[in-house]
Amino acid sequence: MSTQPTLTKAGENPEEPGNSQPTDGLQAGLKNRHLSMIAIGGVIGAGLFVGSSGGIAAAGPAILLSYALVGTLVVFVMRMLGEMAAANPTSGSFSAYADRALGRWAGFSIGWLYWFFWVVVLAVEATAGALILEGWIPAIPQWGWALIVMVVLTATNLASVASYGEFEFWFAGIKVVAIGGFVIIGLLAVFGVLPGSDNPGAGFAHLTDSGGFFPNGPGAILTGVLMVVFSFMGSEIVTLAAGESEDPQRAVTKATNSVIWRIGIFYLGSIFVVLTLLPWNDKSILKDGSYVAALNSIGIPHAGQIMNVIVLTAVLSCLNSGLYTASRMAFSLGKRGDAPRSFAKTVGRGVPRTAILASVAFGFIAVFFNYMWPDTVFAFLLNSSGAVALFVWLVICLTQLKMRGIILREAPEKLVVKMWLFPYLTYATAAMIVFVIGYMIYDDGEPRKQVLLSLLVAALVVGIALIREKRRKNASGDSAGPADQSGVKESVTRS
């Protein structure tokens, strides 16, 4: 006998519009405005603000093509994920779908790897935020600020999912307004129509006047890809949060359909402004950061402090979402029997308290490692989680190839979002991701270290998953086990 979760038919799902209480213990506390802003803010990470200067230095103006390539990958991956999430919104998202389509081992492996990625991110972002806050109020040491921000955002997540949504709404709102304002002001300065600008405005000349559009050769585009790919991680958060929203299907559909313009404006638009305001090899880009250098060239006073406020907002947003995402993945793993059962218990307003506390506890441990052994233990944690984004995207591609058939067979009316040119574009996207991973291994530098250590950790997790599955089969002859109850129901098929 084997147990497999199946998609519910239209009208059977307790989480469909008009039903505010998911059956898994979570509550539909996220409003549509929360989901909309989570979707927008999810693609704007701190990495965009602080990491773009390195990519510009490596590839020159051609970094625009690097961002365009990765952005296209993300659009395709989000389309695939949106197809599955609109049909079956669940807190486990791609991990639960991989469990269903590829096997228990796949859902277990990618779920734990994703959790590991985000708890390491908690330490990175807490340290980055503490560094900024210590510069403003040095009376409190850096570790003290890291502790404060972690405690505050943990309390927010423990209060209710609505608290998380409200905080993220305002954090994301600040990021959106900041980048939107930067693009508008920057474009006015580029064409010399911004009153009082110190930048004469060279139009598009800076894209080619310092060694051409490919100053370091066309191969630098791939180098740029490796440097910018991880700044896109987070776009998939909206599919995890959808299960706790008022109208999951509508939220996922809207987020999936809008991902193109979000990446176009926030990533390509803002980097384009930087590259047209300054020559790509201007020393201030590396020294001050790309956005601060651009604002300084216009003559915006206190540009550095303005950007610090924006970066701090992005850091707090990432911390807030990282804790939420890690806890919901842990919750889903607990529901499926792939994590301690206590992770799947909710308290108060439908909050998975144990899953949140376990996630933040590992985050605190990682922060401790960052202060005590930054170049050894923490460097290993950072590098070994570095390529998880690519693994997640690849698993989403492979899962969607099988889930399309499952959806068509069990609930075709739920196929409201469709991947374009299926299955050819799915195969092409998966091939591109594999190529990027291979190029990272080929590249002699930090990317090789990241992907090799990430592959090592992934192999370890997959090994544990396969051993657990084999033991489960030997013990009961049941190859599947409990499925995530968020938007799915159990059907028992006799073998």
Side-chain angles (χ1 to χ4, degrees), residues 425-478:
L425 202 50
T426 300
Y427 280 120
T429 304
M432 182 60 185
I433 294 170
V434 171
F435 175 77
V436 171
I437 293 173
Y439 189 78
M440 289 177 72
I441 296 174
Y442 170 78
D443 185 74
D444 188 15
E446 194 68 21
R448 175 188 288 179
K449 183 188 299 183
Q450 285 189 354
V451 76
L452 289 177
L453 286 175
S454 296
L455 284 170
L456 175 65
V457 172
L460 178 64
V461 175
V462 170
I464 293 172
L466 292 175
I467 292 172
R468 290 178 78 254
E469 190 165 342
K470 185 176 180 180
R471 287 180 175 175
R472 188 181 295 113
K473 285 182 179 180
N474 291 339
S476 65
D478 187 344

Side-chain angles (χ1 to χ4, degrees), residues 129-153:
L131 190 61
I132 295 173
L133 290 166
E134 186 189 30
W136 293 343
I137 308 176
I140 299 177
Q142 190 177 338
W143 66 265
W145 280 118
L147 180 64
I148 289 171
V149 296
M150 288 278 276
V151 167
V152 169
L153 292 178

Side-chain angles (χ1 to χ4, degrees), residues 100-243:
R100 174 72 170 98
L102 304 179
R104 236 353 230 287
W105 67 272
F108 175 96
S109 302
I110 204 63
W112 277 113
L113 285 172
Y114 192 69
W115 179 86
F116 174 57
F117 172 86
W118 279 111
V119 292
V120 173
V121 166
L122 291 180
V124 174
E125 301 298 339
T127 303
L131 190 61
I132 295 173
L133 290 166
E134 186 189 30
W136 293 343
I137 308 176
I140 299 177
Q142 190 177 338
W143 66 265
W145 280 118
L147 180 64
I148 289 171
V149 296
M150 288 278 276
V151 167
V152 169
L153 292 178
T154 300
T156 299
N157 276 265
L158 285 172
S160 68
V161 68
S163 299
Y164 155 72
E166 199 64 30
F167 269 72
E168 191 57 27
F169 176 82
W170 291 106
F171 286 152
I174 292 172
K175 291 188 292 184
V176 169
V177 170
I179 292 192
F182 175 81
V183 170
I184 293 172
I185 293 172
L187 286 175
L188 292 175
V190 165
F191 295 108
V193 294
L194 181 69
S197 173
D198 293 343
N199 192 304
F204 302 142
H206 287 321
L207 294 177
T208 56
D209 63 6
S210 298
F213 192 76
F214 301 98
N216 297 328
I221 296 174
L222 288 175
T223 303
V225 165
L226 304 187
M227 301 184 74
V228 306
V229 66
F230 305 112
S231 65
F232 283 84
M233 191 68 166
S235 55
E236 70 290 331
I237 291 174
V238 67
T239 64
L240 280 83

Side-chain angles (χ1 to χ4, degrees), residues 296-322:
N296 282 333
S297 76
I298 298 173
I300 302 293
H302 311 296
Q305 286 304 319
I306 292 173
M307 193 51 60
N308 272 340
V309 172
I310 296 170
V311 170
L312 179 62
T313 301
V315 164
L316 294 176
S317 172
C318 192
L319 265 172
N320 195 37
S321 290

Side-chain angles (χ1 to χ4, degrees), residues 179-382:
I179 292 192
F182 175 81
V183 170
I184 293 172
I185 293 172
L187 286 175
L188 292 175
V190 165
F191 295 108
V193 294
L194 181 69
S197 173
D198 293 343
N199 192 304
F204 302 142
H206 287 321
L207 294 177
T208 56
D209 63 6
S210 298
F213 192 76
F214 301 98
N216 297 328
I221 296 174
L222 288 175
T223 303
V225 165
L226 304 187
M227 301 184 74
V228 306
V229 66
F230 305 112
S231 65
F232 283 84
M233 191 68 166
S235 55
E236 70 290 331
I237 291 174
V238 67
T239 64
L240 280 83
E244 294 177 82
S245 69
E246 298 171 335
D247 189 346
Q249 191 176 80
R250 178 177 176 271
V252 169
T253 303
K254 186 177 179 181
T256 302
N257 291 335
S258 65
V259 70
I260 297 176
W261 69 259
R262 287 185 277 131
I263 289 174
I265 293 176
F266 299 133
Y267 279 85
L268 292 175
S270 61
I271 297 299
F272 176 81
V273 166
V274 172
L275 290 168
T276 48
L277 282 174
L278 293 166
W280 70 273
N281 55 358
D282 191 297
K283 294 180 179 178
S284 64
I285 292 179
L286 271 179
K287 178 184 175 185
D288 302 323
S290 52
Y291 291 87
V292 172
L295 291 173
N296 282 333
S297 76
I298 298 173
I300 302 293
H302 311 296
Q305 286 304 319
I306 292 173
M307 193 51 60
N308 272 340
V309 172
I310 296 170
V311 170
L312 179 62
T313 301
V315 164
L316 294 176
S317 172
C318 192
L319 265 172
N320 195 37
S321 290
L323 182 53
Y324 171 84
T325 305
S327 65
R328 268 31 176 206
M329 185 57 73
F331 170 84
S332 177
L333 288 166
K335 291 292 289 185
R336 287 177 274 148
D338 290 333
R341 288 292 184 184
S342 59
F343 285 10
K345 294 180 180 179
T346 58
V347 297
R349 300 180 180 179
V351 174
R353 183 172 60 190
T354 304
I356 291 173
L357 293 177
S359 300
V360 80
F362 194 95
F364 275 123
I365 292 171
V367 170
F368 175 75
F369 287 155
N370 194 13
Y371 285 111
M372 296 300 296
W373 304 288
D375 300 322
T376 52
V377 178
F378 187 74
F380 171 80
L381 292 177
L382 197 59

